[in-house]
Amino acid sequence: MDVKNRENVVVAKVTSKNQITIPKEIRTKLNLKKHDNVEFVTKDNGEVVIKSKNDLWSVVKEQEKKYGNLSTPEIDWGEDVGVEVID
């Protein structure tokens, strides 16, 4: 079965400050969120490929926000209430 490569064209306008807003459809497809990095790869034929650059360190930063890191103080659970006996 021959599957054709379907192209979906989405247009964004360059502002007077040479900025663009990445359209929602593209942000959704690339799973882009605030503060994510985007990589622009230019080809000799004038084509530009946009890639989501969610690397290890951006994942680590997200995990630190949620769970803390090694320098985060431990939770004080209070005094021990007894001992655990394992048979």
Side-chain angles (χ1 to χ4, degrees):
M1 179 178 192
D2 185 23
V3 179
K4 290 185 178 183
N5 184 12
R6 292 179 40 187
E7 289 187 0
N8 188 18
V9 178
V10 180
V11 177
K13 187 175 184 178
V14 179
T15 68
S16 60
K17 294 183 179 183
N18 293 316
Q19 298 172 330
I20 63 167
T21 298
I22 300 171
K24 182 171 179 21
E25 182 178 340
I26 303 300
R27 293 191 316 264
T28 301
K29 188 163 187 110
L30 294 178
N31 195 27
L32 292 174
K33 295 179 179 51
K34 286 184 196 178
H35 309 294
D36 281 351
N37 291 315
V38 178
E39 183 177 84
F40 295 86
V41 181
T42 58
K43 297 187 176 186
D44 291 338
N45 63 1
E47 213 175 302
V48 177
V49 177
I50 301 174
K51 296 180 179 180
S52 172
K53 197 65 177 166
N54 297 325
D55 59 4
L56 172 66
W57 294 112
S58 60
V59 172
V60 168
K61 286 180 185 177
E62 288 298 317
Q63 294 293 315
E64 281 183 339
K65 287 178 191 173
K66 189 172 184 180
Y67 301 110
N69 59 29
L70 292 175
S71 63
T72 303
E74 288 188 42
I75 296 174
D76 182 8
W77 294 101
E79 293 197 27
D80 291 339
V81 294
V83 296
E84 182 176 350
V85 178
I86 301 175
D87 292 328

